[in-house]
């Protein structure tokens, strides 16, 4: 019955089903954000020889993030007198909305995906790039020099690292012949995971993704020892929470995208393990990627801003370009 409604002409039934499915996905993502933050704090704590949250919600601190969210929702919503009020209000929404929109095209299993469009990878890259507008607007509308510097850094960083990010996946597209994320997974089922066939592309993509997520060691837009808190320094309460929510939803989305493009998605590493559900394999690979992001945040020092830009243009860009040339040469000669 549900499948018939999904494939029928648009109507209230279709709208209701898709609305409920989107609400379910939002709840799943919010659950990940809640316990992803807790996991990050616990892992960082153990790596730094401390315990992390261990009071609210028992010795594991299972309700610590919930308590933090409630505190944020109860805080006073302050808008600076000299701020551009309309832009100040809309900026957090502009930062968050694209982070949730990109989840629509990610195939979590061969049977669970919201929108199987032919250019899913292009859609993800195009829509995710819109978040920087919210950061720049937030910095500008705050009428604060530190916020403005943070917004400008966010824009410059996005431009510098979006190019090698896109160029790194061109090798995968050359081998697959498609921008469809399901086709990319299917190609890995026929050959091998692209982390093995495109190791250079994986390294470039992963490094550029850290910059796209504004995470350590590339968190220059909100470097607290330089810019207090960067583009969201004037935000408080639930508006500040929107910026943080966008960051962790993108952590979810980027980890899922890396799993699909380079780690075979829901495919098992060996055929004899095929009896284990694809959702389990996806979750294991996804969790491993999230752990590496947390690990790097715990151990890496922050880049200097000029070194950050140099690294993007003088290292990642030429390496990504060389990978495209090499992939095209190998495909021409051997395939």
């Amino acid at each position: 019955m549900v499948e018939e409604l999904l494939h029928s002409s648009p109507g209230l039934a279709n709208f209701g089903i898709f609305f409920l499915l989107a609400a379910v996905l939002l709840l799943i993502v919010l659950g990940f954000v809640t316990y992803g933050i807790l996991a990050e704090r616990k892992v960082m704590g153990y790596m730094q020889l401390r315990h992390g949250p261990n009071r609210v919600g028992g010795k594991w601190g299972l309700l610590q993030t919930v308590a933090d969210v409630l505190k944020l929702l109860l805080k006073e919503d302050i808008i600076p007198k000299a701020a551009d009020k309309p832009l100040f209000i809309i900026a957090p929404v502009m930062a968050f909305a694209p982070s949730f929109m990109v989840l629509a095209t990610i195939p979590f299993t061969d049977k669970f995906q919201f929108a199987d469009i032919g250019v899913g990878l292009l859609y993800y890259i195009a829509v995710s790039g819109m978040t920087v507008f919210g950061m720049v607007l937030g910095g500008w509308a705050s009428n604060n020099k530190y916020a403005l510097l943070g917004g400008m850094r966010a824009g410059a960083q996005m431009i510098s690292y979006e190019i090698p990010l896109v160029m790194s996946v061109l090798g995968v597209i050359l081998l697959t012949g498609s921008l469809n994320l399901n086709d990319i997974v299917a190609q890995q089922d026929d050959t091998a995971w692209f982390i093995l066939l495109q190791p250079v592309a994986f390294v470039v993509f992963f490094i550029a993704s850290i910059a796209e997520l504004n995470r350590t060691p590339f968190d220059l837009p909100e470097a607290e020892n330089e810019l207090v808190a960067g583009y969201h320094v004037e935000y408080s309460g639930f508006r500040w929470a929107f910026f943080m929510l966008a960051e962790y939803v993108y952590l979810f989305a980027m980890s899922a995208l890396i799993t699909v493009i380079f780690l075979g998605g829901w495919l098992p590493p060996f055929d004899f393990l095929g009896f284990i559900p694809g959702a389990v394999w996806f979750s294991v690979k996804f969790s491993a990627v999230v752990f590496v992001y947390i690990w790097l945040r715990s151990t890496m020092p922050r880049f200097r801003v000029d070194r950050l830009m140099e690294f993007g243009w003088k290292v990642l860009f030429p390496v990504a370009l060389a990978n495209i040339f090499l992939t095209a040469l190998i495909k021409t000669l051997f395939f």
Side-chain angles (χ1 to χ4, degrees), residues 89-164:
I89 292 173
I90 200 174
V93 179
M94 290 188 65
F96 168 72
S99 70
F100 188 63
M101 290 169 61
V102 297
L103 298 177
T105 59
I106 295 178
F108 299 99
T109 69
D110 55 342
K111 293 181 172 60
F112 185 69
Q113 182 183 17
F114 283 87
D116 182 12
I117 59 177
V119 290
L121 181 55
L122 179 62
Y123 171 89
Y124 182 101
I125 294 170
V127 173
S128 64
M130 295 168 59
T131 290
V132 75
F133 293 118
M135 297 177 181
V136 175
L137 277 180
W140 168 262
S142 297
N143 197 29
N144 178 296
K145 61 183 178 182
Y146 295 116
L148 180 59
L149 283 171
M152 294 298 101
R153 280 188 180 185
Q157 187 166 307
M158 190 278 292
I159 293 170
S160 299
Y161 282 84
E162 189 86 4
I163 295 172

Side-chain angles (χ1 to χ4, degrees), residues 5 14 22 26 38 87 117 130 173 192 209 220 231 237 251 256 261 288-289 293:
L5 287 171
N14 296 74
L26 179 60
L38 176 65
L87 293 181
I117 59 177
M130 295 168 59
I173 295 170
S209 72
L220 274 300
Y231 57 89
L251 177 62
I261 296 177
V289 176
Y293 279 123

Side-chain angles (χ1 to χ4, degrees), residues 193-207:
W193 293 0
F194 282 127
I195 192 174
L196 302 176
L197 298 179
Q198 288 281 295
V200 175
F202 171 75
V203 171
V204 173
F205 186 92
F206 188 78
I207 294 173

Side-chain angles (χ1 to χ4, degrees), residues 63-103:
L63 297 178
Q64 181 63 58
T65 308
V66 177
D68 292 339
V69 171
L70 290 175
K71 180 191 71 172
L72 284 173
L73 294 177
L74 294 173
K75 275 190 171 183
E76 182 182 1
D77 177 30
I78 299 173
I79 299 178
K81 185 177 180 180
D84 187 324
K85 189 173 180 179
L87 293 181
F88 188 87
I89 292 173
I90 200 174
V93 179
M94 290 188 65
F96 168 72
S99 70
F100 188 63
M101 290 169 61
V102 297
L103 298 177

Side-chain angles (χ1 to χ4, degrees), residues 257-302:
L257 186 66
I258 289 175
T259 301
V260 169
I261 296 177
F262 293 103
L263 301 179
W266 56 87
L267 300 175
F270 303 103
D271 292 337
F272 69 87
L273 295 174
F275 66 92
I276 300 176
V280 174
W281 288 118
F282 189 96
S283 300
V284 169
K285 299 171 189 176
F286 168 84
S287 301
V289 176
V290 172
F291 174 77
V292 173
Y293 279 123
I294 297 173
W295 183 10
L296 291 175
R297 180 179 178 182
S298 305
T299 56
M300 295 290 288
R302 182 180 293 122

